[in-house]
Amino acid sequence: MMDGTDESNILNSPLANNGGTMEISSPNPLAPTTTTTNGSGTATSPDSSSSAPATPAALGENALHVEISDALSEKEKVKFTVHTRTTLPGFAKKDNNVVRQHEEFVWLHDRIEENEDYAGYIIPPCPPRPDFDASREKLQRLGEGEGNMTKEEFKKMKSELEAEYLATFKKTVAMHEVFLRRLASHPVFRIDNHLKVFLEYDQDLCAKPRKKMAIFGGFVKSLGKTTDEILLSATVRDVNDFFENELQFLTEYHGHLREAASRTEKMTQRHKDVGDSHQKISNALTQLSTTEKGNVETFVAKAAEIFERIKNLETRVASDQDLKLGDTLRYYQRDSDAAKALLIRRLRCLAAYETANRNLEKARSKNKDVHAPLEVQEAETAQAEACEKFESMSACGKEELIGFRNRRVAAFKKSLVELAELEIKHAKNQYDYLRQSLLALKEIA
């Protein structure tokens, strides 16, 4: 979806492993997969059959291809297998696999963000921390309540929760892969030494999970950035209309994205609520069918089956809306923040440049009777360096922001077109199913 990356398996049952472990293997984490259960109780993808694996396409000169080929979810962490294929000079292996955890992705993002040489670039947003707590809690409650439901009800709910867990897991893998692919496709980030270490070093990078004090420190740092942004916006006058307009636009744009993401979340939740209502009606009709005989029993049982199927259709609508629209909005919330951070860094550089100009004027005024004093020479050198840095950052930043604009327009166009096609498909499926269901009920009646 971004920078040539389309943002658009093996499953060890979470219940079978006490909610502890799940494994997924897929070349494209967002590609739809279907799981089937083998005799050992482990769900496997049809793609993981004994058929010969596809031969990867040959790489061109100075190519760097990165993907997450496997991922394993444990109780407290997720392990990502990062597969790298490259023809770039400097890599010890042209084909390599390393296992990384989320904290190591955060380490890589922070190293890129802290590098002053990259101040004029949009730093790809760090992938969000894997969060399966809600799904695991539901699975745990289901296991505790197994004795209060029939075998069919338990099997049905278990299957639904496993599907929800898998969907969350696949999106987590996709977000981490998108982060790496954006770095690998960028002409500057792809040759960064920290990225090379991340992709090649086969040991732990010692990036430990953040503790409470570190999280609090991150909050204070974020608050400081916000204060810095307000102060710079109020005290530094940008003479370049392009950057001034971009900062104003991105500030408003981020707010609109946040509101749109919130509304999308409410919309998908309403679809889920409707599905839950249909499920309750189905359960009530199923219980009622056990007390009736003859045609009435058949009619009520069929109606229960229909409502359950409608519930599944509503759930698919909600899932596709969240995937195609919600995920895109949330991603570009983070990406617009990264673009705005570039503009704030440029304002900070402009403030330093203006300070250097004032210092040079003071030095010249103070030493106007002295021929080429050392203080003036030092001030001139500092001013020249500040000017060069500011002009370089401005040129690079303008190119990055134009690329960001083109990238997000293409991404939203793609996601919205796909969402519209899926909405039409779901609407047709619902209409056809309801029409067939009414005919089936009429036959029974």
Side-chain angles (χ1 to χ4, degrees):
M1 189 163 86
M2 290 81 63
D3 297 335
T5 301
D6 184 7
E7 291 176 21
S8 51
N9 298 326
I10 298 171
L11 169 64
N12 295 324
S13 167
L15 282 174
N17 295 286
N18 299 321
T21 306
M22 181 169 72
E23 185 176 0
I24 180 174
S25 176
S26 172
N28 182 357
L30 284 182
T33 59
T34 304
T35 58
T36 56
T37 304
N38 58 26
S40 64
T42 302
T44 60
S45 166
D47 298 331
S48 62
S49 61
S50 57
S51 59
T55 304
L59 296 178
E61 186 179 358
N62 292 329
L64 177 60
H65 178 78
V66 182
E67 67 178 2
I68 295 179
S69 57
D70 296 280
L72 178 68
S73 174
E74 298 179 350
K75 189 172 183 180
E76 299 296 336
K77 58 189 175 184
V78 178
K79 293 182 178 179
F80 305 93
T81 299
V82 180
H83 180 210
T84 304
R85 296 168 57 231
T86 183
T87 55
L88 283 175
F91 279 80
K93 297 180 181 178
K94 302 306 178 184
D95 194 311
N96 189 49
N97 287 308
V98 293
V99 177
R100 294 284 175 248
Q101 297 181 34
H102 171 73
E103 289 72 28
E104 291 168 298
F105 284 81
V106 176
W107 172 87
L108 176 60
H109 173 269
D110 290 348
R111 298 294 81 74
I112 298 288
E113 190 176 45
E114 291 168 358
N115 193 329
E116 290 189 2
D117 293 338
Y118 302 151
Y121 298 99
I122 296 176
I123 311 299
C126 186
R129 186 184 73 84
D131 185 7
F132 308 115
D133 292 344
S135 296
R136 285 172 178 154
E137 186 178 344
K138 291 179 183 177
L139 289 166
Q140 184 177 359
R141 287 203 304 266
L142 176 62
E144 293 171 352
E146 180 178 1
N148 300 326
M149 59 184 73
T150 65
K151 185 177 180 180
E152 291 74 17
E153 290 175 338
F154 176 78
K155 185 177 179 180
K156 187 194 309 177
M157 292 189 67
K158 173 185 173 183
S159 176
E160 291 174 358
L161 288 176
E162 285 177 346
E164 178 185 327
Y165 191 91
L166 177 60
T168 303
F169 185 73
K170 287 169 69 176
K171 286 199 288 186
T172 297
V173 173
M175 287 295 99
H176 285 73
E177 184 174 77
V178 164
F179 170 69
L180 291 180
R181 287 193 172 184
R182 279 196 60 183
L183 292 177
S185 63
H186 195 280
V188 176
F189 298 147
R190 69 202 309 262
I191 57 176
D192 180 79
N193 284 330
H194 292 102
L195 177 61
K196 182 174 177 291
V197 169
F198 181 93
L199 297 176
E200 275 202 314
Y201 186 58
D202 60 358
Q203 301 296 323
D204 187 0
L205 295 176
C206 298
K208 297 181 179 179
R210 299 175 70 189
K211 297 182 179 180
K212 290 184 178 180
M213 285 304 296
I215 294 174
F216 178 73
F219 171 74
V220 172
K221 184 179 179 181
S222 175
L223 186 62
K225 286 183 178 179
T226 304
T227 305
D228 193 26
E229 175 185 340
I230 295 172
L231 182 62
L232 286 170
S233 300
T235 57
V236 181
R237 177 78 170 89
D238 201 328
V239 295
N240 191 312
D241 291 339
F242 172 82
F243 290 101
E244 187 175 9
N245 292 337
E246 280 293 311
L247 181 57
Q248 183 179 355
F249 168 77
L250 285 174
T251 301
E252 296 177 2
Y253 179 67
H254 184 269
H256 292 316
L257 284 176
R258 184 173 59 248
E259 182 180 359
S262 176
R263 290 186 177 186
T264 301
E265 187 175 347
K266 290 178 181 178
M267 177 179 67
T268 56
Q269 185 58 48
R270 293 298 174 269
H271 279 288
K272 292 178 182 178
D273 292 343
V274 171
D276 290 341
S277 297
H278 286 140
Q279 184 65 61
K280 291 177 182 178
I281 295 173
S282 175
N283 294 341
L285 290 173
T286 300
Q287 292 180 352
L288 180 61
S289 68
T290 61
T291 63
E292 301 293 341
K293 301 294 181 181
N295 286 345
V296 175
E297 178 186 0
T298 306
F299 184 90
V300 174
K302 182 62 178 178
E305 179 186 332
I306 291 171
F307 276 102
E308 182 176 346
R309 176 69 186 279
I310 294 174
K311 180 257 183 184
N312 292 335
L313 293 174
E314 286 291 342
T315 301
R316 288 175 191 168
V317 171
S319 177
D320 285 336
Q321 286 175 342
D322 187 53
L323 178 65
K324 296 299 181 183
L325 184 58
D327 281 357
T328 304
L329 290 167
R330 285 187 288 269
Y331 183 85
Y332 276 95
Q333 262 188 272
R334 301 193 299 273
D335 211 14
S336 62
D337 256 344
K340 193 164 68 169
L342 160 61
L343 292 170
I344 297 305
R345 290 194 295 270
R346 182 181 169 278
L347 279 181
R348 194 177 295 115
C349 186
L350 175 58
Y353 177 38
E354 292 177 347
T355 300
N357 284 333
R358 288 193 295 269
N359 290 340
L360 178 58
E361 291 176 3
K362 289 179 181 178
R364 284 174 175 172
S365 175
K366 182 179 178 181
N367 300 277
K368 58 184 178 181
D369 297 330
V370 182
H371 178 67
L374 179 60
E375 184 179 355
V376 173
Q377 291 179 9
E378 291 176 348
E380 287 177 345
T381 302
Q383 189 266 355
E385 291 176 353
C387 178
E388 182 182 359
K389 183 178 180 180
F390 175 69
E391 290 180 351
S392 174
M393 182 182 291
S394 297
C396 181
K398 186 173 184 178
E399 184 178 343
E400 286 279 299
L401 290 167
I402 292 174
F404 171 64
R405 180 192 304 163
N406 296 334
R407 187 171 69 244
R408 71 171 184 265
V409 169
F412 273 103
K413 180 180 178 180
K414 180 176 183 292
S415 293
L416 291 174
V417 168
E418 291 177 351
L419 176 62
E421 291 173 348
L422 286 170
E423 294 279 12
I424 293 171
K425 177 184 174 182
H426 288 312
K428 287 181 178 179
N429 289 341
Q430 288 178 332
Y431 170 77
D432 290 339
Y433 182 71
L434 288 172
R435 183 173 57 81
Q436 294 170 8
S437 299
L438 288 173
L439 292 174
L441 289 174
K442 283 181 180 180
E443 289 181 5
I444 297 173

